[in-house]
Amino acid sequence: MSTAISMASMSTYAILGCGSVGHAVAEELVAEDKDVLILDQDEGRVGALRDQDLDARRADIHAEAAAEAVADRDVVLILSPDVDANLAAVENLGDREGDRFIIVRASDPVMADELRAAGADVVINPSAVIADSALRALEQGELEYKATQLSDLLDGGDSVGILAHRSPGPDSIASAVALQAIARSRDVEADILYEGEIGHQENRAFVNLLGIELVSLAETNLEEYDTLALVDCAKATEPVVDGDVDILIDHFEPEVDYGATFSDIRSNVSSTSTIMTKYVQEFDLSLSEEVATALLYGIRAETLDFKRDTTPADLTAAAYLYPFANHDTLEQVESPSMSPETLDVLAEAIRSREVKGSHLVSNAGFIRDRDALSQAAQHLLNLEGITTSAVFAIADDTIYLAARSKDIRINIGNVLQDAFEEIGEVRGHSTDASAEIPLGIFTGLEITGDNRETLLQLTEQAVRSKLFEAMGVESGSSNDGSNGS
């Protein structure tokens, strides 16, 4: 179709072949006061259409005369079940001058290709449209059923504890915020529980700017809650809670059997925030700015701003949330200020990085701010060609390590488990993990002011070797551009 004609300017229509599909389209167009001409070779059908005050004429759409009759129309819809007749009509229209938009019915992908080659602008397959509509109806029906189950569980008690994974990220926190809002809309008290730390500066900014209240798991008793829920916890390297839970919602299949009464696991989406957005819509929740902003950020963070494994469902959810979100707050969350020490740690991590294949390991030396490690690991993951990063350092008498991965073939939590489970504590999941290793166990030496540098040297090569081995990278396979310490 020529760029000289726009959809807004299209006011005259023609339908060639007016079976059940064409009739339905004609009725919709006429209801919108469009000028519609119908051509069909069945005399009885043409008469019935005229009885409905439709402009219908008898014509064989194979014939050039039919194409001539509709050549001045802005839009021509060729909807006969006879695909050979449809192809002839497209070819006949192509032989005529003028700008028109041609929509044509096909029966299969091969015929669709032929029709496009003949000049059709849009090709539709009614069977595919019906199947797609059926699947959407099925998905909606399943969501309604799940929402009823979820509401019954929430209504069965007066309080719910919502557990995010250890040191939770944006997707986990945002999903918990949405479930909390759903619970409160049903007059059920809900707390968001976590253990570990909100370490990354962006995550702290996210929590602080949106005023999200998080309760430390160490400061509460899970038995106080009538209902327990886990959100975005499937990729945790160890059980988030001992025993069964009532509600489990995630976009990954869980690696631990929590015996959940209610579960909604959708591996066909890329964030738990996407799932929770569907529930917000299904419960017809009056969406607050805080919840919308949290969910939108959760989707963006989990998909790396729609650059990683993004699905149509993620985009649809984000489009729904977009008008309700506070974009100034999002900008502040995504651009938090960096402390001088964090900058120093990042500089040292860049200087001492070592790269093997697409995997990067770096030593940041001695540090005071352990949170800076996670930020350094995230920044190094953004280097060209890097899919996995790990940064370690010494603080007091412990080796602290933060790792990140965007490689779908690697579960970075499992990598750290393989490397350090026997000598330290490992937490995390497939894309984000951390480890704490007592320095004395690792080196067999006590820390004193005189041996700090010696300990650093002993630690460095051992940690690097264990990490690269657990990542499946052979020793000596460093990139030429890598930077050893």
Side-chain angles (χ1 to χ4, degrees), residues 6 15 31 58 114 128 141 158 205 227 234 244 258 353 370 432 447:
S6 68
I15 297 176
R58 187 172 179 275
E114 289 188 43
D158 295 322
T227 307
D244 294 345
Y258 290 105
R353 72 192 186 280
R370 292 175 293 169
D432 180 342
I447 286 187

Side-chain angles (χ1 to χ4, degrees), residues 82-140:
D82 184 346
V83 292
D84 291 330
N86 292 350
L87 178 60
V90 172
E91 291 173 339
N92 289 337
L93 282 169
D95 293 335
R96 281 157 178 77
E97 295 182 357
D99 292 316
R100 65 192 66 85
F101 192 78
I102 301 175
I103 301 172
V104 62
R105 174 177 176 171
S107 57
D108 55 60
V110 174
M111 179 55 71
D113 290 339
E114 289 188 43
L115 290 165
R116 290 189 188 95
D121 295 290
V122 174
V123 179
I124 58 173
N125 183 339
S127 297
V129 172
I130 292 170
D132 184 58
S133 178
L135 289 172
R136 286 200 304 271
L138 174 61
E139 181 183 355
Q140 182 60 35

Side-chain angles (χ1 to χ4, degrees), residues 449-462:
D450 297 332
N451 68 357
R452 282 166 57 90
E453 293 301 325
T454 301
L455 284 173
L456 185 60
Q457 293 174 14
L458 289 172
T459 300
E460 181 172 28
Q461 192 53 46

Side-chain angles (χ1 to χ4, degrees), residues 334-347:
E334 293 168 342
S335 306
S337 58
M338 184 179 290
S339 69
E341 182 172 0
T342 299
L343 190 60
D344 290 341
V345 170
L346 178 58

Side-chain angles (χ1 to χ4, degrees), residues 17 25 70 93 114 117 223 225 229 238 242-243 245 270 274-275 286 336 420 458 465:
V25 172
V70 300
L93 282 169
E114 289 188 43
E223 294 181 359
Y225 297 99
E238 60 183 51
D242 295 328
V245 300
S270 292
T274 298
I275 302 172
S286 180
F420 305 112
L458 289 172
S465 298

Side-chain angles (χ1 to χ4, degrees), residues 160-164 168-185 188 190-193 206-208 210-214 229-232 249 272-273 276-277 279-280 285-298 321:
V160 56
I162 306 169
L163 286 86
D171 189 29
S172 191
I173 295 171
S175 301
V177 166
L179 185 56
Q180 182 185 56
I182 290 170
R184 288 179 173 175
S185 74
V188 177
D191 292 330
I192 302 173
L193 313 175
F206 174 48
V207 170
N208 294 336
L210 290 178
I212 300 170
E213 294 184 9
L214 303 176
L230 298 185
V231 291
D232 197 46
I249 303 175
T272 307
S273 294
M276 294 311 304
T277 301
Y279 279 108
V280 165
L285 203 67
S286 180
L287 193 59
S288 71
E289 184 180 89
E290 291 74 21
V291 174
T293 305
L295 285 170
L296 181 55
Y297 183 58
L321 296 165

Side-chain angles (χ1 to χ4, degrees), residues 260-375:
T261 304
F262 169 89
S263 65
D264 191 350
I265 311 299
R266 304 192 203 183
S267 54
N268 62 332
V269 301
S270 292
S271 76
T272 307
S273 294
T274 298
I275 302 172
M276 294 311 304
T277 301
K278 293 290 186 182
Y279 279 108
V280 165
Q281 293 175 283
E282 182 60 29
F283 279 100
D284 197 20
L285 203 67
S286 180
L287 193 59
S288 71
E289 184 180 89
E290 291 74 21
V291 174
T293 305
L295 285 170
L296 181 55
Y297 183 58
I299 296 170
R300 287 174 57 170
E302 195 69 8
T303 60
L304 296 181
D305 227 359
F306 309 111
K307 295 190 288 286
R308 176 180 67 188
D309 303 330
T310 308
T311 70
D314 301 312
L315 295 173
T316 300
Y320 169 74
L321 296 165
Y322 189 89
F324 302 103
N326 187 319
H327 298 279
D328 290 336
T329 299
L330 280 175
E331 185 175 354
Q332 292 179 64
V333 168
E334 293 168 342
S335 306
S337 58
M338 184 179 290
S339 69
E341 182 172 0
T342 299
L343 190 60
D344 290 341
V345 170
L346 178 58
E348 180 62 22
I350 292 172
R351 187 192 67 79
S352 66
R353 72 192 186 280
E354 182 177 358
V355 178
K356 294 181 184 293
S358 63
H359 309 303
L360 180 152
V361 176
S362 186
N363 175 16
F366 293 95
I367 63 171
R368 292 187 303 275
D369 181 7
R370 292 175 293 169
D371 296 341
L373 286 180
S374 61
Q375 295 178 68

